């Protein structure tokens, strides 16, 4: 998860606490939480329609405090939801291609979705924790190096900016100015030199893992609704009809999920929804024909090797 502000207390606790960081985030042009005071939602809208005047207005207009759009859990929702839908639909398609009964599909689907949801949630939590631990280790090292040999760190940044095209004299002015603010300088080094984003102080990998687990579970069960509910509402539905219902539900969910993702990108909701539809169709088609092939090969094998 990307950090939205640099906290002076974070660096003071990691380093020797002697820095003069400006981590309170109350400077000019920033909100009280350290984020830019521009209206970010308006800025995104301006970019979407390429409206320069609207972009200028967004930079001049302060956003309402406490109503900032945050994407902390968007990745977990979309990632978990998409994986859940595709996993369930691929299983259904493969089972349908293999001519398995509705009862078998429902049992396999439910047990598989629950197990995979737990695995996804735990995996997301553990991987995020491992990443955060790595970043914090690098942060402690950068703090120690700056506190004990700031000249070396300053020289590294000067070389970095010079390699990017900034004249060395100007790079020295810029870097030496930044170095007066310890926390800010270290944060820039983490981003520019190591390409790492320091996690927020309140970052909780378990929350991300739980969101992934719930998202996977909810979206994963949707393709199975046809097999679980349709027979109760309509007696005598064939297995082919049940599969068609599952396809319809899945395609609808995929399109909605893709359209939702478009709110946090520059793509139109139609294009984003169609991309998810195409992805789901490809996965289902592959799984369906795999089921057909495996069933055919299995029948030939058991016919040739009767027990």
């Amino acid at each position: 998860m990307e950090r939205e502000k640099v906290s002076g207390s974070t660096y003071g606790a990691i380093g020797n606490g002697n820095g003069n960081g400006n981590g309170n985030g109350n400077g000019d042009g920033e909100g009280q939480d350290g984020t830019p005071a521009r209206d970010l939602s308006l800025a995104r809208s301006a970019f979407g329609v390429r409206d320069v005047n609207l972009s200028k207005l967004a930079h001049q207009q302060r956003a309402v405090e406490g109503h900032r759009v945050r994407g902390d859990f968007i990745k977990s929702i979309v990632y978990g939801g998409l994986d859940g839908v595709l996993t369930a639909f691929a299983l259904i398609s493969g089972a349908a291609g293999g001519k398995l009964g509705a009862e078998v599909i429902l049992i396999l689907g439910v047990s598989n979705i629950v197990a995979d949801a737990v695995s996804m949630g735990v995996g997301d939590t553990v991987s995020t924790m491992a990443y955060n631990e790595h970043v914090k280790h690098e942060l402690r090292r950068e703090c120690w190096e700056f506190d004990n040999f700031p000249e070396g760190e300053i020289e590294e940044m000067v070389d970095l900016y010079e390699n990017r095209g900034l004249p060395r004299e100007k790079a020295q002015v810029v870097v030496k100015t930044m170095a007066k603010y310890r926390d800010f300088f270290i944060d820039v080094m983490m981003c520019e030199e190591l390409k790492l984003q320091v996690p927020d102080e309140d970052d909780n990998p378990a929350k991300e893992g739980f969101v992934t687990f719930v998202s996977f579970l909810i979206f994963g069960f949707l393709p199975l609704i046809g097999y679980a509910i349709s027979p109760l509402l309509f007696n005598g539905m064939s297995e082919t009809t049940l599969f068609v219902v599952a396809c319809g539900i899945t395609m609808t969910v995929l399109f909605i999920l893709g359209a939702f993702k478009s709110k946090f990108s520059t793509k139109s909701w139609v294009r984003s929804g169609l991309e998810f539809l195409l992805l789901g169709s490809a996965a289902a088609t592959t799984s369906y024909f795999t089921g057909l092939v495996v069933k055919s090969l299995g029948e030939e094998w058991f016919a040739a090797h009767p027990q």
Side-chain angles (χ1 to χ4, degrees):
M1 185 186 304
E2 292 188 359
R3 220 166 47 114
E4 294 187 73
K5 80 182 191 74
V6 182
S7 171
S9 60
T10 299
Y11 294 86
I14 292 178
N16 62 9
N18 294 327
N20 57 350
N22 59 344
N24 58 10
N26 292 327
D28 292 339
E30 292 187 350
Q32 293 184 358
D33 61 352
T35 57
R38 64 172 176 168
D39 190 330
L40 189 55
S41 177
L42 188 60
R44 287 171 174 159
S45 299
F47 176 72
V49 296
R50 303 300 192 273
D51 190 326
V52 177
N53 292 326
L54 191 60
S55 177
K56 292 179 180 178
L57 178 63
H59 284 78
Q60 296 168 355
Q61 183 172 319
R62 289 182 175 272
V64 179
E65 183 181 355
H67 292 79
R68 185 180 68 253
V69 177
R70 297 186 61 185
D72 291 352
F73 299 117
I74 299 304
K75 176 185 72 70
S76 297
I77 294 174
V78 175
Y79 174 52
L82 179 62
D83 205 10
V85 172
L86 293 182
T87 297
F89 192 42
L91 186 148
I92 292 173
S93 300
K99 306 302 180 183
L100 299 181
E103 182 179 348
V104 175
I105 292 176
L106 191 59
I107 293 173
L108 289 176
V110 172
S111 58
N112 185 70
I113 291 301
V114 172
D116 281 358
V118 173
S119 176
M120 288 286 294
V122 172
D124 194 7
T125 300
V126 173
S127 62
T128 302
M129 289 176 62
Y131 173 79
N132 289 352
E133 289 170 1
H134 168 66
V135 174
K136 290 178 180 179
H137 172 76
E138 291 298 311
L139 177 59
R140 286 192 292 270
R141 180 180 61 80
E142 290 291 350
C143 288
W144 181 83
E145 289 179 349
F146 183 85
D147 292 335
N148 290 276
F149 186 44
E151 296 81 5
E153 298 298 284
I154 291 174
E155 192 66 19
E156 286 183 14
M157 289 297 292
V158 170
D159 291 340
L160 179 64
Y161 284 157
E162 184 181 17
N163 291 335
R164 293 187 178 183
L166 195 64
R168 189 168 188 83
E169 296 76 15
K170 293 184 177 181
Q172 289 175 335
V173 174
V174 171
V175 174
K176 288 181 180 179
T177 300
M178 291 193 300
K180 294 178 182 179
Y181 306 93
R182 174 182 179 273
D183 299 351
F184 172 74
F185 181 80
I186 295 174
D187 184 61
V188 173
M189 284 205 69
M190 292 291 292
C191 295
E192 296 286 345
E193 181 186 13
L194 303 178
K195 311 299 182 185
L196 296 175
Q197 291 288 339
V198 182
D200 288 326
E201 291 181 8
D202 60 350
D203 186 51
N204 188 344
K207 287 184 179 180
E208 291 186 48
F210 181 73
V211 171
T212 300
F213 165 76
V214 173
S215 181
F216 189 102
L217 203 64
I218 292 175
F219 285 96
F221 274 130
L222 293 178
L224 296 170
I225 289 179
Y227 284 89
I229 298 179
S230 296
L232 300 178
L233 301 177
F234 307 98
N235 294 327
M237 292 185 69
S238 65
E239 294 179 359
T240 301
T241 303
L242 290 174
F243 179 61
V244 171
V245 172
C247 289
I249 294 175
T250 303
M251 293 300 105
T252 301
V253 172
L254 283 172
F255 186 84
I256 293 174
L257 193 59
F260 170 74
K261 185 182 75 70
S262 71
K263 291 176 62 65
F264 308 94
S265 69
T266 58
K267 295 180 181 179
S268 69
W269 64 274
V270 175
R271 179 181 175 182
S272 185
L274 291 176
E275 285 181 351
F276 272 40
L277 271 180
L278 181 62
L279 179 63
S281 299
T285 300
T286 301
S287 182
Y288 183 84
F289 284 104
T290 299
L292 283 176
V293 172
V294 171
K295 180 179 184 300
S296 177
L297 293 176
E299 289 176 345
E300 292 180 3
W301 170 266
F302 287 114
H305 302 82
Q307 296 182 353

